[in-house]
Amino acid sequence: MEDPSRLLAAAHGAGVSHPGGIPPPPSAGDPAAAAPPPPPPHRLQPGPPPPGHQDTGDILQQIMAITDQSLDEAQARKHALNCHRMKPALFSVLCEIKEKTVLSIRGIQEEDPPDAQLMRLDNMLLAEGVSGPEKRGRGGPTTVAATSGGCPNDNSIEHSDYRAKLSQIRQIYHSELEKYEQACSEFTTHVMNLLREQSRTRPISPKEIERMVNIIHGKFSTIQMQLKQSTCEAVMILRSRFLDARRKRRNFSKQATEVLNEYFYSHLSNPYPSEEAKEELAKKGGITVSQVSNWFGNKRIRYKKNMGKFQEEANIYAAKTAVDATNVVAQGNQANSPSTPNSGSSGSFKMTNSGDSFINLQSLTSYQSSPVGANVQSQMDSLHHVIHQTGRYDTIVGNPLYTTQRIDANGSWQDATTPSSITSPAGDPGSVNSDASN
DNA sequence: CTTTATGATTCACA
DNA sequence: TGTGAATCATAAAG
């Protein structure tokens, strides 16, 4: 901002010799200066100024006096200046001087690197849907499939509360932003008007105006950045409050649990779905891949810890799988497709803590599996039955013998030791149903 | 309210 | 990097 006193000085002509912008005492020829300024009410330095500081004291006095002048008086002075006969000449001198000094001004600008922080904030706000277009509404199946990243926030579909709050933030952000922009443009026009006004008494290049506008915009963008920053903070807090899955745990849909369990129990020998299998399961269940991974992680450990507890469940899914498998077998018979494997043999995955009887059972199953056969099945059934009755199958048995049989009957057990499951999630009979559904 | 079930996170490990 | 194990935090059941 220009110092008003400088203008005054410039207009007086003598001011040219005072680069400091301090106006000299009014000349006698100046009609506007005819009336001596009223004495300042408050002297900063009472008493006579020390020698050598005489000028400064005077000047100071005048500056102080300006504040006491009425607006009308000032206007009158200004008008007088504009009408002064020497004005055009002085003005041109001023222009000349300005021309010379403008070079030194030029270097000052040129510091406008795209602010990294601002960009970060912008990106985040955009990602959160605060800035930019209205956030994509609820995710259809496409969204679910697309966002299988691992970010647990996909569940936001259910968090209508979260969305409401977010849109509130969004609203506030936009209204504030608008306010700032309005204020900025108002202020800019105000300053431009001022400069235009001033350009009558001093030369102002367009570059200078531009620079001024840039400065103003810079100042306002600093404020905007603060706004963005606090908006980001608000969103972060909101997120942590609403989307922290530990706080808001939602059970999976029945469909999801179904799909996962089917896979798990039909691949009990190796319940480690490949990445593709996980994706497939995620798609079928309408959850994310990382949720699938979590689920399998939890399932494995919990199943292992307490197989007895899962017995019933295992049987249910085993039966289910068996039906499917039977259907498949009935149609295509064994052997044909290498991708219709099978699945699981009984809980063979590193079940070190299981009882001996289980192990025996296990080995029995596996050894006899390849030959196939209904007799094996019945053997197993009875064995299972016995164990079931005798006793406390908690740590002893676990698991879907039925499945084992069926699947072994498919003859892919050997492969199954190493994940047959991994090879073909899609073609797997264990998940046949879901294939049909999709 | 307490207990159980369950999804997610964290950390160590191979 | 994926996994097992422990743990947390919440939903659901009793």
Side-chain angles (χ1 to χ4, degrees), chain A residues 2-290:
Chain A
E2 295 291 330
D3 186 344
S5 59
R6 198 150 138 199
L7 277 178
L8 206 63
H12 270 84
V16 175
S17 56
H18 290 259
I22 313 289
S27 64
D30 193 335
H42 312 294
R43 291 290 297 254
L44 291 178
Q45 285 177 296
H53 288 70
Q54 180 72 44
D55 282 356
T56 323
D58 266 4
I59 290 159
L60 221 58
Q61 201 174 327
Q62 286 183 49
I63 292 171
M64 297 302 287
I66 288 173
T67 58
D68 292 325
Q69 291 172 359
S70 73
L71 209 59
D72 286 346
E73 202 177 338
Q75 285 296 91
R77 251 170 201 261
K78 211 159 112 187
H79 183 70
L81 284 175
N82 279 334
C83 299
H84 197 274
R85 61 194 156 79
M86 288 293 282
K87 197 235 172 184
L90 292 172
F91 192 79
S92 67
V93 170
L94 205 59
C95 283
E96 219 172 284
I97 291 167
K98 183 97 182 198
E99 198 69 27
K100 284 177 195 161
T101 55
V102 76
L103 288 172
S104 59
I105 296 172
R106 191 170 298 165
I108 299 171
Q109 53 190 103
E110 304 307 337
E111 42 150 342
D112 197 16
D115 195 329
Q117 169 143 20
L118 187 62
M119 270 172 64
R120 264 211 311 279
L121 291 174
D122 275 337
N123 285 342
M124 187 190 153
L125 289 174
L126 204 62
E128 293 300 328
V130 175
S131 63
E134 187 67 38
K135 183 157 185 159
R136 70 205 141 122
R138 44 190 44 278
T142 41
T143 314
V144 172
T147 54
S148 52
C151 212
N153 68 354
D154 300 347
N155 294 341
S156 62
I157 300 161
E158 301 154 72
H159 298 301
S160 60
D161 211 19
Y162 169 79
R163 282 209 308 276
K165 286 264 194 315
L166 190 66
S167 87
Q168 212 175 322
I169 290 176
R170 186 188 151 91
Q171 218 170 332
I172 292 170
Y173 170 77
H174 280 292
S175 80
E176 287 297 306
L177 202 64
E178 206 177 315
K179 262 190 240 166
Y180 283 142
E181 266 158 16
Q182 201 181 332
C184 180
S185 75
E186 261 172 35
F187 190 68
T188 307
T189 42
H190 177 70
V191 168
M192 298 230 323
N193 283 340
L194 213 61
L195 287 176
R196 210 168 301 139
E197 173 73 19
Q198 287 185 4
S199 69
R200 290 204 293 168
T201 47
R202 69 182 181 110
I204 299 174
S205 67
K207 259 233 162 73
E208 238 178 314
I209 295 176
E210 194 188 326
R211 199 164 66 93
M212 192 62 75
V213 168
N214 280 342
I215 289 169
I216 294 167
H217 284 178
K219 295 283 178 204
F220 272 90
S221 76
T222 312
I223 299 171
Q224 263 187 29
M225 190 151 99
Q226 281 169 10
L227 171 70
K228 284 175 181 177
Q229 197 147 22
S230 36
T231 306
C232 276
E233 272 167 31
V235 171
M236 284 308 225
I237 291 168
L238 189 70
R239 274 178 77 97
S240 66
R241 188 159 303 164
F242 277 86
L243 297 184
D244 185 352
R246 293 172 85 135
R247 287 178 182 279
K248 278 253 182 260
R249 191 178 61 75
R250 289 259 182 277
N251 287 354
F252 289 163
S253 67
K254 219 161 175 216
Q255 158 83 357
T257 316
E258 195 98 335
V259 168
L260 293 166
N261 271 315
E262 267 168 27
Y263 189 97
F264 181 81
Y265 287 111
S266 65
H267 296 75
L268 209 46
S269 65
N270 195 59
Y272 299 87
S274 67
E275 210 45 45
E276 292 104 53
K278 282 179 191 169
E279 276 169 29
E280 187 73 22
L281 290 167
K283 209 163 102 186
K284 284 175 188 164
I287 55 179
T288 68
V289 172
S290 58

